[in-house]
Amino acid sequence: MNQIIEQYIENWKQKNFQTQNHRRFPNLKDTNQIDIISDHIFGLKQNDIAIGIHHPAFNHGPKHKHDFFELIYIYHGSCSNHIYRQQDITIQMNQGDICLLNPNAVHCLDIGENTNSIVFNIMFKTSLFDKAFINLIPDNSIMVQFFINSLYNKKDKNEYLLFRNHPENDVSEIIEKILVEFIQKKICYQNTIQAYLIVLFSSLIRQFSEDEQTTEEKNFIPTDIAEILDYISQNYNTVTLTSAADHFFYNPSYLSSYIKRFTDRTFTDIVLEYKLEHCCNFLRNSDMPIADIVNLTGFNYSSHFFKLFQKHFHCTPAEYRKLYYQPNPSHEDNSL
């Protein structure tokens, strides 16, 4: 066992384990209602990745979902992962098992009376897929298909991917490196964790063909959809439907329908999301004048930009910057 992680767990137990209260999430209750946990609770407004330990106060409830991806890792012991859908299922997870949940998957964890079980939650923003993962993970892999289905194909999405522990692979070693990076929070730790996540996903992809899956068979997503989304992401501030069609040798009308078919979103909506995401990054992490941000991100008219920003975020860009501008954000450990 890694001593840094073990000490972190002991410190966490002293701080949280005895109290078992709900003060961190005062609106969550053990009822049949579905609670929505937003990314700001875990510091994901300022960072792309956060990690917490499942708190025993939330055993077998409440039912909840997120607006981010969650990777559940059983560090020690076991737990039951309840996923609610048309036909509810319960997945028994043991030490070393991993479950990757898509945003909006309704679920709850139960570690039972065994308080020695330790479950880590690795949470990352949906935008990280387009920003860091899409061009580094094999396009036709089960992982990319899962991410694309989760983000774009609302009619056909699977709630989770389950990976059973294989003692002979390096998955646990990779996750321990991720945990140590988050605990120590050295310079560039977020970027380092992103790199380790790519290594982790690659290792899980290798394992997938031999791993017994409990999810339904995924619908095939053409390889070039990932390539198209990556191209749009890389050229968000200048790309047009015509330029993208020329790049991939498609007719513009065909490309528009093709994107809509496999993502359930229009080309314009996808480009706008990329533009607004980059605007928010500039507002959070730079002192750049808002007028310069508008030009840099490809908005032709300032008035149009302000209307769109207000519509999506319910505040002005200046108000958003005032709320989230943190060049040197402070970090705290979070638990669920």
Side-chain angles (χ1 to χ4, degrees):
M1 293 273 184
N2 187 291
Q3 293 302 311
I4 296 174
I5 299 174
E6 290 296 305
Q7 186 59 54
Y8 178 79
I9 292 171
E10 286 304 312
N11 293 341
W12 177 84
K13 284 183 177 180
Q14 292 178 16
K15 181 179 179 182
N16 296 291
F17 205 79
Q18 300 300 324
T19 59
Q20 298 196 11
N21 60 56
H22 291 237
R23 287 178 298 173
R24 188 178 293 275
F25 309 106
N27 295 322
L28 302 186
K29 300 176 181 179
D30 265 338
T31 67
N32 287 324
Q33 73 181 49
I34 299 172
D35 291 296
I36 301 174
I37 301 180
S38 180
D39 56 12
H40 75 273
I41 293 179
F42 296 99
L44 287 174
K45 283 291 184 182
Q46 294 79 25
N47 299 301
D48 289 322
I49 302 164
I51 298 177
I53 300 178
H54 177 72
H55 199 290
F58 294 95
N59 268 351
H60 206 78
K63 295 180 183 179
H64 65 280
K65 60 182 180 179
H66 311 296
D67 54 6
F68 48 83
F69 287 102
E70 178 181 10
L71 188 151
I72 298 170
Y73 174 67
I74 312 303
Y75 180 78
H76 182 72
S78 62
C79 80
S80 298
N81 188 4
H82 305 282
I83 298 177
Y84 302 93
R85 51 185 184 175
Q86 276 190 319
Q87 293 183 333
D88 298 345
I89 58 172
T90 297
I91 306 169
Q92 184 63 35
M93 299 181 65
N94 300 306
Q95 186 167 321
D97 289 348
I98 291 173
C99 184
L100 179 61
L101 293 168
N102 76 22
N104 296 315
V106 180
H107 66 285
C108 72
L109 290 181
D110 182 7
I111 61 175
E113 300 300 321
N114 180 11
T115 55
N116 290 321
S117 292
I118 297 294
V119 179
F120 279 100
N121 309 91
I122 301 176
M123 300 154 281
F124 52 95
K125 295 169 70 171
T126 57
S127 60
L128 196 60
F129 170 70
D130 293 319
K131 184 165 64 174
F133 297 158
I134 190 171
N135 59 343
L136 293 175
I137 304 174
D139 292 339
N140 60 349
S141 69
I142 189 65
M143 199 70 71
V144 166
Q145 291 186 27
F146 174 77
F147 283 131
I148 291 178
N149 270 332
S150 299
L151 293 174
Y152 298 111
N153 198 343
K154 297 180 181 178
K155 297 177 182 178
D156 176 40
K157 62 170 64 176
N158 289 280
E159 290 87 354
Y160 69 94
L161 286 177
L162 177 66
F163 300 92
R164 294 297 185 185
N165 179 33
H166 283 204
E168 68 277 7
N169 68 21
D170 56 354
V171 167
S172 294
E173 180 182 343
I174 297 169
I175 290 184
E176 287 193 5
K177 290 179 178 178
I178 291 173
L179 297 177
V180 170
E181 283 292 331
F182 186 82
I183 292 167
Q184 294 184 325
K185 291 184 172 62
K186 295 181 178 179
I187 187 171
C188 296
Y189 81 96
Q190 286 274 322
N191 292 335
T192 304
I193 292 175
Q194 287 183 28
Y196 279 136
L197 281 174
I198 292 168
V199 176
L200 174 64
F201 293 153
S202 298
S203 183
L204 292 174
I205 289 167
R206 292 173 181 173
Q207 174 183 319
F208 178 80
S209 60
E210 301 174 359
D211 202 6
E212 181 179 351
Q213 297 295 310
T214 58
T215 56
E216 297 89 351
E217 189 69 21
K218 311 294 183 293
N219 283 351
F220 173 71
I221 296 178
T223 296
D224 56 354
I225 279 293
E227 295 174 357
I228 291 168
L229 293 175
D230 181 47
Y231 178 81
I232 296 172
S233 174
Q234 297 299 321
N235 301 277
Y236 72 94
N237 55 345
T238 59
V239 70
T240 64
L241 181 61
T242 300
S243 67
D246 289 344
H247 182 82
F248 290 98
F249 303 102
Y250 285 140
N251 176 278
S253 296
Y254 176 81
L255 179 62
S256 177
S257 300
Y258 191 65
I259 291 172
K260 176 69 174 178
R261 175 187 172 191
F262 287 103
T263 70
D264 200 34
R265 302 178 68 183
T266 67
F267 173 86
T268 301
D269 287 341
I270 292 172
V271 173
L272 177 60
E273 181 175 306
Y274 288 141
K275 287 183 176 182
L276 290 175
E277 176 64 29
H278 280 81
C279 284
C280 291
N281 284 335
F282 285 126
L283 290 170
R284 290 194 303 264
N285 301 308
S286 78
D287 295 315
M288 188 183 301
I290 293 175
D292 292 348
I293 294 176
V294 173
N295 292 328
L296 187 63
T297 51
F299 286 98
N300 294 326
Y301 304 101
S302 295
S303 59
H304 181 58
F305 163 74
F306 283 107
K307 288 180 181 178
L308 287 172
F309 196 96
Q310 181 84 37
K311 177 181 178 180
H312 281 76
F313 301 103
H314 308 292
C315 64
T316 67
E319 291 169 339
Y320 184 93
R321 170 172 273 169
K322 186 176 180 180
L323 284 171
Y324 301 116
Y325 176 62
Q326 291 190 10
N328 295 298
S330 59
H331 307 280
E332 60 179 7
D333 61 328
N334 300 287
S335 305
L336 175 58

